[in-house]
Amino acid sequence: MRKKVTVVGAGNVGATTAHWLCSKELADVVLIDVIEGVPQGKGLDLLEAMPIEKRDSHVLGTNDYADTANSDIVVITAGVARKPGMSRDDLLNTNFKIMQDVVGKVIANSPNCILIVVSNPLDAMAQAAFKLSKFSRNRVIGMAGVLDSARFRTFIAEELNVSVENVTAFVLGGHGDTMVPLARYSTVAGIPITELMPKDRLDAIVQRTRDGGAEIVKYLKTGSAYYAPSAAATEMVEAILKDKKKILPCAVHLEGEYGIHGLFVGVPCKLGTNGLEKIIEIKLTAEENAALRKSADSVAELIKVIGV
Ligand code: NAD
């Protein structure tokens, strides 16, 4: 039987996620939104692209959660996005209300699914979905690190004029200004980038990575990034559906790992059929540890506001 993936929110990130999913023929896709007509229109449009793409994924747009029943994975992108001058945290209360609406309906129809949360502020929304769903922690995973690392990799590849395929990079911590790009663990064909570029260039790239979301919001003016975010969510879906045991940076509920208890923070994770299969604990320097802690503290502040 084909796998089924529901994408909640048929806006920029949601519709583009649906696009990547069916163009890679990873699953049948259901796209659901509160706006009548939009998911139906985008879903049909995508379905009609499948003969050209030579893919047999079925795509359905709907406003009815019954159509999402028994999904293997549900990607939650519902919510408002940033406009220029807004931080991700400004979205907290609005998106928490949306999360309350969405999670209940999702789990009533797909009690065995794995949730991938994309809505911002990411770590707090993932924590909200975890608490609201009462799922075990392996089944609630937040997308941020794959995107932040992809931005870091892009800038490293451009700086050194090398293939993006040669670049691996790690960004830990919360999805926000306190994210922790780990230069020491970032390499080009196995060579640490700290040996390949001067410190001032590396610092500039780290800062551009931290500001990566804002850089795009500033250009777009009416919304935030969606091609790379949806590609990142799709990579996570693929790792789970294909049981790839892939190590990706994801926001997950830490229960003592890295000395952090009861908070969603971005760390290296192994993704496979069961969702989160292992948290990889790497040795951090005192400085990196302090940065991760600062990042966790800012997630804790948001959690306090919404009380989850
Ligand atoms: P968008 O405005 O284009 O789309 C959001 C969609 O959610 C809209 O179509 C809206 O109708 C829908 N929606 C609202 N309430 C809903 C509900 N109760 N049920 C179902 N659908 C509902 O925004 P976007 O650019 O697609 O961004 C979506 C979210 O993803 C935002 O919160 C954004 O900040 C976040 N985001 C996160 C990352 C990340 O790295 N984690 C990256 C990019 C965007």
Side-chain angles (χ1 to χ4, degrees):
M1 208 167 79
R2 289 205 210 146
K3 297 290 183 182
K4 178 170 176 178
V5 177
T6 286
V7 181
V8 186
N12 284 334
V13 178
T16 317
T17 302
H19 184 183
W20 292 113
L21 289 171
C22 65
S23 67
K24 290 172 183 262
E25 208 175 41
L26 289 176
D28 286 342
V29 179
V30 177
L31 186 60
I32 186 164
D33 200 290
V34 279
I35 302 176
E36 277 176 38
V38 168
Q40 287 86 344
K42 291 187 180 181
L44 182 59
D45 197 8
L46 276 172
L47 183 68
E48 290 167 356
M50 291 302 97
I52 303 166
E53 289 290 295
K54 304 181 184 66
R55 300 299 197 192
D56 283 310
S57 287
H58 190 268
V59 188
L60 174 75
T62 184
N63 307 116
D64 182 358
Y65 275 87
D67 292 322
T68 72
N70 300 319
S71 296
D72 296 284
I73 298 181
V74 177
V75 182
I76 302 180
T77 76
V80 291
R82 283 198 285 173
K83 305 245 160 52
M86 285 171 90
S87 81
R88 294 179 178 92
D89 299 354
D90 293 333
L91 310 173
L92 183 69
N93 289 315
T94 310
N95 285 354
F96 179 51
K97 280 197 199 96
I98 292 173
M99 201 57 69
Q100 285 171 303
D101 171 48
V102 165
V103 172
K105 291 173 181 161
V106 163
I107 65 169
N109 288 280
S110 299
N112 300 316
C113 71
I114 290 171
L115 296 172
I116 295 179
V117 179
V118 178
S119 312
N120 272 320
L122 187 273
D123 308 273
M125 290 304 105
Q127 182 119 1
F130 173 66
K131 289 289 164 76
L132 292 164
S133 66
K134 299 192 173 65
F135 280 5
S136 53
R137 73 163 173 172
N138 63 302
R139 290 168 59 205
V140 185
I141 311 167
M143 187 292 288
V146 177
L147 168 64
D148 296 330
S149 301
R151 287 181 173 147
F152 198 22
R153 289 166 67 192
T154 305
F155 304 147
I156 293 167
E158 294 230 307
E159 177 74 17
L160 297 173
N161 193 23
V162 296
S163 164
V164 290
E165 287 185 56
N166 283 142
V167 185
T168 59
F170 249 108
V171 175
L172 304 186
H175 184 49
D177 304 334
T178 57
M179 73 177 76
V180 189
L182 284 189
R184 264 182 339 121
Y185 285 107
S186 302
T187 63
V188 174
I191 307 160
I193 54 167
T194 42
E195 292 183 23
L196 294 172
M197 64 177 91
K199 187 172 180 317
D200 62 325
R201 287 309 305 152
L202 182 52
D203 289 347
I205 286 176
V206 164
Q207 194 52 45
R208 191 172 175 201
T209 302
R210 284 208 180 96
D211 297 338
E215 186 176 0
I216 291 184
V217 171
K218 211 169 129 204
Y219 282 124
L220 293 180
K221 296 188 180 65
T222 54
S224 58
Y226 53 98
Y227 289 115
S230 54
T234 303
E235 185 176 29
M236 292 167 65
V237 169
E238 184 171 24
I240 295 168
L241 290 182
K242 293 187 175 170
D243 193 22
K244 285 179 82 83
K245 315 289 186 200
K246 197 168 192 176
I247 313 289
L248 294 170
C250 304
V252 293
H253 193 249
L254 297 186
E255 296 171 0
E257 296 86 359
Y258 291 92
I260 296 168
H261 295 267
L263 271 185
F264 269 76
V265 178
V267 293
C269 296
K270 188 199 278 184
L271 299 191
T273 299
N274 299 317
L276 167 66
E277 299 196 343
K278 189 176 172 32
I279 292 171
I280 316 287
E281 288 199 76
I282 49 175
K283 253 209 165 108
L284 300 179
T285 63
E287 199 185 331
E288 288 161 354
N289 221 356
L292 188 66
R293 186 136 293 281
K294 191 170 158 218
S295 194
D297 289 346
S298 68
V299 178
E301 292 270 305
L302 296 183
I303 298 303
K304 231 187 285 164
V305 177
I306 54 174
V308 294

